[in-house]
C-alpha cells in the first residue's frame, strides 16, 4: 500500500486523472489509455467520482482494479455532499479492505432536489470529509485547490483562508487546471502567507479542443487568457494544429512549474493518452518514478 504523502516526501510525483467509463466500449478505451501511459511509470493515478454518488460503484471498481490488478497506486476521488456519514463510512471500509490508501476528499457541488432546491446534506464542506477520513486512520488525504478561487467563494482572501485550513488537515492538494503559471504561483504564496506549506500539485489540462476547454474553464472558474484564445482562434479550422499548440503550451507551462519548484504534475487526461505522452516527451521524461527526485531539465 503506497501512500501519496510518502511519495511526495521522497520526490516529485507525476499523476494521471481518469473518469469512470459508462460503457463497455469506454472501459476498453480506458484500459488501452492506461496501458499506453503505464510505461511512463506514473507515481499514481486518480479516478473521479460523480457528485452525489452517481458513479459510486464504477469509481470504486475502477480504482480497486487499477490498484490490485494493474499494479499502479490509485487514488479515489470522493465527494461528501449528498451522502450520509454511514454511506461514506462503508465506502471507506471497502477501500481499506481492498488496499486503497489514497483519497481525494471533496465537497462536490450542491445536490439539487426535484423541486430545484438545494437538498439537505449531512456534509457541508470538504473539511468535514477530511476529518472523517483522518479519523479512520491509514489513508493519505488530498484536497482540491482553485488557483483563481472557487466559483462559489465570495473573494480570493476567504478562498485562500478556507483552503489553508483544509490543506493543513490533509497531506496535499491538487489544483483545478489553469493556463499560465502565475495563478498557481500566487496560490502557493497565498497559502504560505496563511502558514500552509503542504505540497500543492498543479493540475494540467492540455488544450486539444479549444471550444471544449473554454466551456470547462467557465465552469471551473479558470481564466482562459485572451491572448491564448486569439492564438487558438487563428487556427480553429485545423484540429491537428490546435492539438499541437495545446501540447506546446502545456509543455512550456509544465517546465516553468517544475523550474519554480512544483512538487509534481497532475494531468487531466480525459481518458486519452496522446497529449500527455507528447508532453512527457517534450519534457524529456521517459520514466517518471526513476527520476522523480530531480527536476527534468
Ligand atoms: C483536483 C480536483 C478534482 C475534483 N474531482 C471531482 C470529482 O471527482 N467529482 C466531483 O463531483 N467534483 C470534483 N471536483 C470539483 C469539486 O467537487 C467542486 O469544485 C466543489 O464545488 C467544491 O469542492 P471542494 O472540495 O473544493 O469544496 P470545499 O473545500 O468545501 O469548498 C467549497 C467552497 O466553500 C468554501 N468554504 C470551505 N470551507 C468553508 C467554511 N468553513 N465556511 C465557509 N465557506 C467555506 C470554499 O472557500 C469554497 O468556496 C474536483 C476539483 C478539483 C480541483
Amino acid at each position: 500500500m503506497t501512500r501519496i504523502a510518502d511519495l511526495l516526501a521522497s520526490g516529485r510525483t507525476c499523476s494521471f486523472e481518469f473518469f469512470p467509463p459508462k460503457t463497455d466500449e469506454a472501459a476498453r478505451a480506458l484500459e488501452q489509455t492506461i496501458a499506453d501511459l503505464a510505461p511512463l511509470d506514473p507515481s499514481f493515478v486518480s479516478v473521479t467520482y460523480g457528485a452525489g454518488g452517481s458513479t459510486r460503484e464504477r469509481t470504486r471498481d475502477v480504482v480497486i482494479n487499477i490498484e490490485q490488478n494493474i499494479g499502479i497506486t490509485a487514488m479515489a476521488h470522493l465527494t461528501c455532499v449528498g451522502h450520509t456519514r454511514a454511506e461514506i463510512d462503508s465506502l471507506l471500509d471497502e477501500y481499506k479492505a481492498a488496499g486503497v490508501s489514497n483519497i481525494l476528499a471533496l465537497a462536490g457541488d450542491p445536490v439539487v432536489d426535484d423541486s430545484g432546491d438545494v437538498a439537505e446534506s449531512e456534509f457541508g464542506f470538504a473539511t468535514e470529509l477530511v476529518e472523517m477520513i483522518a479519523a479512520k486512520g491509514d489513508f493519505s488525504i488530498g484536497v482540491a485547490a482553485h488557483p483563481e478561487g472557487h466559483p462559489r467563494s465570495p473573494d480570493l482572501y476567504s478562498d485562500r483562508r478556507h483552503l489553508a485550513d483544509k490543506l493543513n488537515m490533509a497531506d496535499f492538494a491538487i489544483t483545478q487546471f489553469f493556463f499560465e503559471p502565475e495563478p498557481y504561483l500566487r496560490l502557493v504564496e497565498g497559502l504560505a502567507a496563511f502558514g500552509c506549506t503542504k505540497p500543492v500539485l498543479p493540475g494540467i489540462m492540455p488544450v486539444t479542443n479549444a471550444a471544449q476547454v473554454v466551456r470547462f474553464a467557465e465552469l471551473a472558474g479558470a481564466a482562459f487568457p485572451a491572448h491564448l484564445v486569439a492564438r487558438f482562434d487563428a487556427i480553429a479550422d485545423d484540429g491537428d494544429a490546435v492539438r499541437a499548440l495545446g501540447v506546446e503550451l502545456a509543455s512550456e507551462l509544465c517546465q516553468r512549474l517544475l523550474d519554480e519548484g512544483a512538487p509534481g504534475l497532475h494531468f487531466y487526461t480525459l481518458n486519452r493518452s496522446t497529449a500527455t505522452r507528447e508532453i512527457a516527451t517534450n519534457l524529456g521524461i521517459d520514466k517518471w518514478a526513476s527520476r522523480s527526485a530531480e527536476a527534468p531539465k
Side-chain angles (χ1 to χ4, degrees), residues 48-49 77 79 106-109 125-126 144 150 152-153 162 166 268:
T48 62
Y49 191 79
H77 294 215
T79 67
L106 301 148
D109 291 325
F125 299 110
H150 188 276
R152 288 200 300 280
S153 288
H162 289 308
K166 176 172 78 170
Y268 292 99

Side-chain angles (χ1 to χ4, degrees), residues 17 47-52 77-79 104-110 124-127 143-146 150-155 158-160 162-163 166 174-177 266 268:
E17 180 170 313
V47 183
T48 62
Y49 191 79
H77 294 215
L78 178 56
T79 67
L104 189 69
L106 301 148
D109 291 325
F125 299 110
T127 41
V143 293
H146 293 78
H150 188 276
R152 288 200 300 280
S153 288
D155 53 67
S158 73
D159 187 277
R160 297 281 200 264
H162 289 308
L163 176 58
K166 176 172 78 170
I174 301 182
T175 75
Q176 187 54 274
F177 59 84
H266 181 78
Y268 292 99

Side-chain angles (χ1 to χ4, degrees), residues 179 205-214 216 224 232 235-236 238-250 268-270 272-276 278-279:
F179 300 98
M205 166 94 86
V207 176
T208 51
N209 172 331
Q212 183 189 47
V213 169
V214 168
F216 285 172
F224 197 2
F232 281 106
I235 51 171
D238 183 345
D240 289 344
V242 166
R243 261 184 39 78
L245 178 59
V247 166
E248 179 192 326
L249 292 172
Y268 292 99
T269 68
L270 302 179
R272 292 168 198 275
S273 68
T274 314
T276 306
E278 287 171 0
I279 294 167

Side-chain angles (χ1 to χ4, degrees), residues 5-78:
D6 297 334
L7 294 175
L8 283 163
S10 63
R12 283 181 157 150
T13 60
C14 171
S15 47
F16 305 135
E17 180 170 313
F18 307 122
F19 58 85
K22 277 198 183 118
T23 62
D24 289 349
E25 191 187 348
R28 281 193 294 276
L30 176 59
E31 226 168 84
Q32 187 59 50
T33 292
I34 296 174
D36 291 343
L37 289 172
L40 287 174
D41 208 359
S43 318
F44 67 95
V45 301
S46 79
V47 183
T48 62
Y49 191 79
S54 56
T55 68
R56 181 186 165 129
E57 284 78 20
R58 277 190 280 134
T59 296
R60 181 201 58 200
D61 293 350
V62 174
V63 167
I64 292 176
N65 181 43
I66 292 174
E67 180 82 36
Q68 291 189 344
N69 302 326
I70 301 182
I72 300 176
T73 296
M75 174 172 74
H77 294 215
L78 178 56

Side-chain angles (χ1 to χ4, degrees), residues 110-260:
V111 178
V112 176
D113 65 20
D114 294 341
S115 49
D117 297 325
V118 173
E120 292 264 317
S121 173
E122 287 185 19
F123 291 91
F125 299 110
T127 41
E128 295 153 47
L129 180 58
V130 174
E131 272 171 346
M132 191 173 165
I133 300 171
K136 297 279 283 180
D138 298 340
F139 289 106
S140 183
I141 307 171
V143 293
H146 293 78
E148 293 161 89
H150 188 276
R152 288 200 300 280
S153 288
D155 53 67
L156 209 49
Y157 178 86
S158 73
D159 187 277
R160 297 281 200 264
R161 189 163 54 86
H162 289 308
L163 176 58
D165 290 345
K166 176 172 78 170
L167 182 49
N168 272 331
M169 295 162 56
D171 295 313
F172 62 95
I174 301 182
T175 75
Q176 187 54 274
F177 59 84
F178 53 90
F179 300 98
E180 294 185 300
E182 287 71 24
Y184 171 81
L185 300 174
R186 283 196 298 265
L187 168 71
V188 173
E189 272 172 27
L191 289 171
F194 280 112
C196 176
T197 53
K198 294 267 174 84
V200 180
L201 293 170
I204 308 296
M205 166 94 86
V207 176
T208 51
N209 172 331
Q212 183 189 47
V213 169
V214 168
R215 217 169 46 247
F216 285 172
E218 275 169 12
L219 289 173
F224 197 2
H227 70 98
L228 295 184
V229 174
R231 287 181 72 182
F232 281 106
D233 278 351
I235 51 171
D237 295 335
D238 183 345
D240 289 344
V242 166
R243 261 184 39 78
L245 178 59
V247 166
E248 179 192 326
L249 292 172
S251 304
E252 287 169 10
L253 176 62
C254 290
Q255 188 60 64
R256 176 78 197 283
L257 292 166
L258 292 170
D259 291 345
E260 295 281 353

